[in-house]
Amino acid sequence: PVDGTVTEGASAVNESALTGESLPVDKAAGSGVSAATLNQNGFLTCRATRVGSDTSLSKIIDMVENAAATKAPAAKLADKVSGIFVPVVIALAFAAGIVWLAAGAEFGFALARAVSVLVISCPCALGLATPVAIMVGSGLGAKHGILFKTAAALEACGKTDIVVLDKTGTLTEGKPRVTDIYADEDEEKLLKIAASLEAKSEHPLSHAVTAFVAERNITFENADDFAALPGFGVRGTVEGKTAFGGNAALMEERHLLPVRLKEKGEAFAEEGKTPLYFAHDGKALGIIAVADVAKPDSAEAVRALYGEGIAA
């Protein structure tokens, strides 16, 4: 639970708790790591640089808490009005009591009328309603994953006419899913080898592949001599033969990337998908494309914004 710098090792770190990005970030010596992030695979030795209240997570928490303590422009205006209105009301209440006494009313009757003017006219709502609204609004926003840096930012939301949405984790599920399969020859063999390799990896892309194969009810055996290759992919022995799975750089390094597969992978990448290449026994098997798919209600949410006259 500290922020630090990697001094030794290589791995992939899930930073979705801080950034919302579903794909892990590769870390090596010299890379920064933060509290609330998760090491997915591999071993990292880190030097702590910020602890306790100095960590990025603590600063985010402080930002949300302090937002409720800041004053919005409307609150500042209410304070100015209260500074003038309250003394005026007290003066009017005092004057009302004097007038009733001068008219011959008993002291108790005049006092009751003075207090009535004071209670009815005193602008309590001016001093209480705005801070309470800011506190409730900031709390509800945080509950739904929306953080306000200041009360002024919260007030400005009521005047919003354009909304810019971050895709990952906002419009999308934040969890990669298999979208396409391109097999060089045998699709079932591609899925078997892929599942055998990815079953031992904790990478989110690996989970997407194994979940897809499980949905297809395809049986596979676990890979032997498994090794994660940070920044590239995975390696293992399946059916007595060496198998690889990962990005184009890994396959090119192993001379396992035919031109047709490379072109198909580039086409998937242009569509915003992540192509995973697989090879077995010195031969390329194909590509499994993975992407962070849109939430079922994202389109409806965007339409609702347009319905409110807000461009998204």
Side-chain angles (χ1 to χ4, degrees):
V2 300
D3 291 354
T5 302
V6 178
T7 59
E8 182 183 353
S11 185
V13 175
N14 183 347
E15 299 183 338
S16 59
L18 291 181
T19 66
E21 292 293 333
S22 59
L23 298 182
V25 179
D26 293 324
K27 301 292 183 179
S31 300
V33 290
S34 302
T37 61
L38 299 173
N39 183 16
Q40 299 277 224
N41 56 278
F43 179 82
L44 296 174
T45 301
C46 304
R47 182 180 68 253
T49 55
R50 293 192 298 270
V51 300
S53 60
D54 293 329
T55 64
S56 299
L57 178 63
S58 295
K59 289 180 179 178
I60 291 175
I61 294 172
D62 289 341
M63 181 184 71
V64 176
E65 292 178 344
N66 292 335
T70 60
K71 286 185 177 292
K76 294 177 181 178
L77 177 61
D79 289 344
K80 290 180 180 179
V81 173
S82 298
I84 299 172
F85 194 53
V86 171
V88 171
V89 169
I90 293 175
L92 288 174
F94 184 76
I98 296 298
V99 169
W100 279 105
L101 287 173
E106 295 182 359
F107 178 78
F109 183 87
L111 179 62
R113 297 306 175 269
V115 172
S116 298
V117 172
L118 181 64
V119 171
I120 295 172
S121 303
C122 187
C124 298
L126 285 176
L128 297 176
T130 305
V132 170
I134 291 172
M135 180 179 66
V136 173
S138 298
L140 285 175
K143 183 179 180 180
H144 291 85
I146 303 170
L147 306 182
F148 296 98
K149 293 183 70 173
T150 63
L154 175 60
E155 181 180 336
C157 286
K159 305 172 185 176
T160 300
D161 50 21
I162 298 176
V163 175
V164 180
L165 297 170
D166 173 64
K167 175 182 71 67
T168 306
T170 304
L171 294 176
T172 63
E173 294 181 350
K175 295 181 179 179
R177 296 184 182 276
V178 173
T179 59
D180 300 272
I181 299 174
Y182 180 79
D184 203 22
E185 292 181 4
D186 189 342
E187 179 177 306
E188 184 170 338
K189 182 177 180 180
L190 166 63
L191 293 175
K192 281 185 175 181
I193 299 300
S196 297
L197 286 171
E198 304 293 9
K200 289 190 174 182
S201 173
E202 296 182 358
H203 199 286
L205 297 181
S206 300
H207 292 173
V209 173
T210 53
F212 179 80
V213 173
E215 291 173 1
R216 297 278 290 266
N217 294 319
I218 297 175
T219 58
F220 59 89
E221 62 180 60
N222 289 327
D224 297 322
D225 301 323
F226 174 83
L229 308 173
F232 292 97
V234 293
R235 181 195 70 225
T237 301
V238 183
E239 298 175 357
K241 306 292 182 180
T242 301
F244 292 94
N247 56 25
L250 172 64
M251 295 303 166
E252 287 180 332
E253 181 183 289
R254 304 287 175 170
H255 306 290
L256 295 171
L257 186 61
V259 175
R260 62 184 180 280
L261 279 186
K262 183 176 181 180
E263 292 177 347
K264 187 63 177 178
E266 290 174 348
F268 283 139
E270 289 178 359
E271 296 174 2
K273 303 170 183 176
T274 301
L276 301 176
Y277 303 84
F278 293 91
H280 182 241
D281 192 20
K283 181 180 179 181
L285 298 178
I287 302 172
I288 297 177
V290 179
D292 189 7
V293 299
K295 294 178 181 178
D297 56 355
S298 290
E300 181 183 348
V302 173
R303 281 194 296 269
L305 288 174
Y306 277 111
E308 295 288 336
I310 300 174

